[in-house]
Amino acid sequence: MTETRRLQLHLGKCIEDLDKLYNVPDLKTKRATLLCKTAQKLFEKAEEERDRGDEENSYVYYMKYLRVVAFISKDKEYLKDKTYFNNMLGAKNPNKAIDAAEKLKNSLIDRYEKEQKEKRLHDIKENELIKQKIDENRKKALESIPVYEQPQPLGLPGLDEVTIKSEQLYSILKSGKLKVMILDARPGDDYLESHINYPACISIPKECMSPGQSANALEQNLPAASKLVWGERATMELIVMLDWNSTAVIPGETLHLLKTILLKWDVKVHYARPPLALYGGYEDWLLKYPAFTTNPHAVPPSQDSMLDDMLGEIDYPNWSDLNPSPPPVQTTPPRPAKPGEPVIDRSSKVAAVQLYEERARNMQLILEEQERIADTSLTLEMQRIEAEQDWEKVREQREQEPRDELRAQYRLREHEILSQLMQLENKQFDMEQENQSLREQLEEYQKREREEAEKLVEALRKATDADTQAVEAAARRSAVEAAARELAARRARIADVRAQHRQLDRRREALEQQRKRKLADARRAAKPQVHTQHCQLDRRREALEQQRKCKLADARRAAKPQDDDGDTFMEPVEDSSENQGLNRSQSSPNIAKGWGEEEVPTFDRGTKPSKLAPVNDEPQRDFQPVWGDVGRGLTGLKNLGNTCYMNSIIQCLNNTAILVTYFCNKQYLEHVNRSHSTRGAIAEELAAVVRALWSGQYRFIAIKDLRNEVGKHQRAFRGNEQQDSHEFLTILMDWLHLDLQFSIKPPQKESLGAAERAWHEYTRCKESLVLRLFYGQMRSTVRCVRCGERSATYDSFSNLSLELPAAAARCTLQDCLNLYLNGETIPGWNCPKCKEKRDAVKKLDISRLPPVLVIHFKRFYVDPKEYMSNTYRKKQTYIDFPLENLDMSQFSLHCPGNPMYNLYAVSNHYGSMEGGHYTAYCKSSVYGKWYKYDDHVVTEIPATEVKSSAAYILFYTSCGRS
């Protein structure tokens, strides 16, 4: 019997599209007899469509039929006379429909997959000529780039250098063998006064540049004389930037801003090499080659700006600093009083006046501090509005630009500006909280001042005679009036700043309304074919990407065994007697060598493994790297669509020293557990990511393979929705522990205490490096209030999840720990001694401290006002936590090891549940500095910025064993 010819697919592109079509209307009002007739018609229609060869319609009708049958089977009439209704339906029809629907479903799934493959192959063939043209253009561009493997005779710096000395630049300019452009980034007036006497030296005024600016926007603001030379920048073999006296390209400064504009936001130009900064700036050139300038008598800029920068780095004064102890006052003994005359100590008058003057100075300091914070807050508000306007411009440009590469650039920039906007809002919130704290201190101070003033007036009234009282009262009134005028002026200044704040708020609201109106108008005016073009471009890009992957896989399979596979790893630590702790022994893994049962591993965060050559036995991974010579461990992670929560946690783990060594030296391969549900794949993918991040050769990478592997085992992490970084961390820790398990020799339980016995019962002689690093133990003790009977249980934890004090704008980490560990009353506890239900007190204590202590703050909570809708809100509480020397001894029992911890990473959350963003602050053990990991952007930050109200998860490392 020949197979019926199958009609072409027409209802959908996947089986899920058909699942949306077989819903049936509400059947509750229909009688069972009518429903049986309807079901019979659906069955006949399904059979007819199958015979006709339309598998899609047949599958939909079969599923509708089964839905109706399922509803009939629950009907009261059917239950009374099943035989009658089964005869109406047909005794064998339901089973036949189930078998037919299952076969059709499998057939359709295969056909959909085959059609998708054929479509991709068709698109690949259709775009082959375009791809070849692109490859040819790229090849020509790469061939035109000069390769500088060794320092050239002209004195050109190596590719890893970011500066060029005046002697080298002079030699290059004198030889004339290279096309050089000099970009003078000083203020325009300074350039006109004096600059390097070279035709291609142009002015890029400092005042014309701003963060987030594109090269095209910068060109519009350049002087007319500079635009002509600027347009030839693509043909230059060397570009040199200079300011007055910089010796490095520092983030946040003018040269770094100009370099960012050239390399990141000049999408139409491919530079032969990154621009170099002139070491020492124009000041060094003027000193060494005055004859090669237009004016050798130029005057350096004033030092006012430098003084302002120094003043800006002054830390806020502590309250204790504002109340110094007054110096001792020399007193004279009181003269003897006449009989019946009260004794008066006139020395108290001097002390009281001095105290009043001291308090007046303290109040003035507080007002000055409050005024400074108001100015800073106003600046942040203005920066926030500028960022919003910048974001709006970029968004409009992205929507108007159909080309793939530029759209991707604009999308990336839009993401950066949104992240910057959230962080500015958070900083402004922190400043407002600090200002509120100072305001409360000032009110408290003024209250005490009034009380002291009343006491002072009373003391002076009793201590002075009529003449001196008048003189001193006049002086006092004069001082009070002067202080009042000063206070009034400062309060007026603060009020003015607040008024400007309100104006900026109104301006931002107006801009937001205008932006929404423009967006709505643009969407209404958009033509349908624009969406079609976008879809076509997306399909074309996916086809090209699939073709690239196939070619790359074929090339790698054809490579010789000794060829590199593209991954870069770390050199293993030399095999010596001092580094045998991670080798396998004959009986069991030797990770625990040198660690007692009560001990924890020690590691030096000051050391990191260095690079080693890649090997070729690794599976190929699609990191989509963007190349760039950055520091080890300073590689960013691309946002794959709301994956900032994952990027933040991975960067924090990537700065855990012993875990990095374990992955980079591939010692984890000895412990990969294939029997777990993840088959060790999570650990292997994370290890590959860590090695790539520590290669130092990528600006940023994409972790698509790790994300896909995680999504296989946890549906929530599969899509593009924002997720909770704490939830991801907790699940990841459990996966890694199970992926890297090894067996240990069971201990003698008779010799163990209760805590150790509970620990070994939990591990069941299955441990891992992740368990020994991150997992601790908590003891829960319940005590009967009546008889004092106690019952203790033990639980493990990979992080401490702490509640925040209710209605507190500011608190400390110690407050949160006390709230977590304090006892709570439990009613109705079954006391084993009293044999009755009693009130009891439950108390938590840490019985085992891990080497890496992870602390999570519960910032998200269900709004009580919207409990039924399950609406979550976020607490913006500012938490003061120590960067060094966190003492956990007061919060734990007598645990082995050193209870002192140092902070090395923070996972931050900005925004709200509706729209948020995650970043990470991590301290590099290689460079000893703090860095901000904002998805693909990694920048250095001062330690003073680590504490903020965005802190969500803290990572502390033990200072070492005592």
Side-chain angles (χ1 to χ4, degrees), residues 722-919:
Q722 182 66 272
Q723 301 296 333
D724 182 26
S725 68
H726 174 247
E727 180 183 1
F728 173 71
L729 172 65
T730 304
I731 296 176
L732 181 63
M733 286 291 101
D734 291 341
W735 277 339
L736 291 176
H737 165 57
L738 295 173
D739 272 1
L740 300 170
Q741 273 187 347
F742 55 82
S743 300
I744 62 171
K745 183 180 179 181
Q748 296 293 332
K749 295 186 178 180
E750 295 77 9
S751 61
L752 299 178
E756 283 300 316
R757 191 181 306 111
W759 177 259
H760 286 288
E761 289 176 358
Y762 164 71
T763 62
R764 299 180 182 273
C765 297
K766 297 286 187 180
E767 296 196 359
S768 68
L769 180 65
V770 174
L771 179 81
R772 294 187 170 182
L773 280 180
F774 293 93
Y775 282 69
Q777 187 186 61
M778 190 74 65
R779 187 185 75 177
S780 175
T781 305
V782 180
R783 179 179 57 83
C784 177
V785 176
R786 177 67 63 87
C787 68
E789 179 69 11
R790 298 173 183 268
S791 175
T793 57
Y794 296 87
D795 294 299
S796 65
F797 65 87
S798 61
N799 59 80
L800 296 178
S801 194
L802 308 183
E803 295 280 359
L804 304 183
R810 300 172 67 91
C811 66
T812 65
L813 176 57
Q814 183 174 0
D815 296 334
C816 300
L817 287 168
N818 288 331
L819 183 63
Y820 179 73
L821 298 172
N822 279 349
E824 60 175 329
T825 301
I826 302 176
W829 181 61
N830 290 318
C831 178
K833 187 175 181 180
C834 298
K835 306 299 182 181
E836 292 183 15
K837 293 184 179 294
R838 302 289 193 191
D839 287 346
V841 175
K842 181 181 179 181
K843 175 71 169 63
L844 295 178
D845 294 288
I846 300 175
S847 55
R848 188 186 189 98
L849 283 168
V852 177
L853 179 62
V854 181
I855 298 175
H856 159 247
F857 298 121
K858 294 183 179 180
R859 291 194 177 274
F860 301 103
Y861 64 98
V862 177
D863 191 345
K865 298 179 182 179
E866 303 181 32
Y867 178 76
M868 298 302 295
S869 61
N870 205 28
T871 302
Y872 277 81
R873 296 287 182 258
K874 180 185 176 183
K875 295 181 180 179
Q876 293 282 5
T877 307
Y878 180 92
I879 305 170
D880 188 6
F881 48 87
L883 303 187
E884 295 179 346
N885 299 324
L886 169 64
D887 188 359
M888 291 296 295
S889 60
Q890 57 181 316
F891 306 108
S892 59
L893 303 175
H894 299 292
C895 303
N898 192 341
M900 305 299 293
Y901 287 83
N902 291 336
L903 186 74
Y904 72 91
V906 182
S907 176
N908 300 304
H909 181 271
Y910 301 92
S912 62
M913 288 292 293
E914 291 75 18
H917 179 63
Y918 288 93
T919 66

Side-chain angles (χ1 to χ4, degrees), residues 249-264:
V249 181
I250 303 174
E253 299 297 332
T254 304
L255 295 185
H256 184 272
L257 177 59
L258 178 56
K259 188 174 181 179
T260 302
I261 292 174
L262 294 174
L263 295 183
K264 294 181 64 176

Side-chain angles (χ1 to χ4, degrees), residues 292-354:
F292 210 57
T293 64
T294 58
N295 178 17
H297 304 292
V299 179
S302 63
Q303 301 298 319
D304 293 342
S305 59
M306 184 181 299
L307 180 60
D308 292 341
D309 292 341
M310 293 172 61
L311 291 176
E313 296 176 357
I314 298 177
D315 293 332
Y316 298 162
N318 294 325
W319 178 253
S320 59
D321 297 337
L322 300 179
N323 292 275
S325 301
V329 181
Q330 298 294 333
T331 61
T332 56
R335 60 180 178 83
K338 298 179 179 179
E341 183 179 353
V343 178
I344 299 176
D345 184 7
R346 297 189 178 274
S347 61
S348 63
K349 177 179 67 177
V350 179
V353 173
Q354 185 176 4

Side-chain angles (χ1 to χ4, degrees), residues 588-628:
S588 63
N590 199 23
I591 279 189
K593 184 176 181 179
W595 303 352
E597 294 296 333
E598 300 290 337
E599 296 175 334
V600 296
T602 60
F603 49 89
D604 182 7
R605 287 188 55 82
T607 61
K608 285 286 183 183
S610 56
K611 295 181 182 178
L612 71 88
V615 295
N616 59 1
D617 58 350
E618 287 284 326
Q620 304 303 323
R621 294 180 173 88
D622 185 17
F623 284 130
Q624 300 179 355
V626 173
W627 297 83

Side-chain angles (χ1 to χ4, degrees), residues 17-37:
D17 292 343
L18 300 185
D19 293 340
K20 302 174 183 177
L21 301 178
Y22 55 71
N23 289 328
V24 294
D26 187 13
L27 305 177
K28 295 180 180 180
T29 59
K30 308 295 183 182
R31 295 181 61 84
T33 305
L34 180 61
L35 291 177
C36 287
K37 294 179 180 180

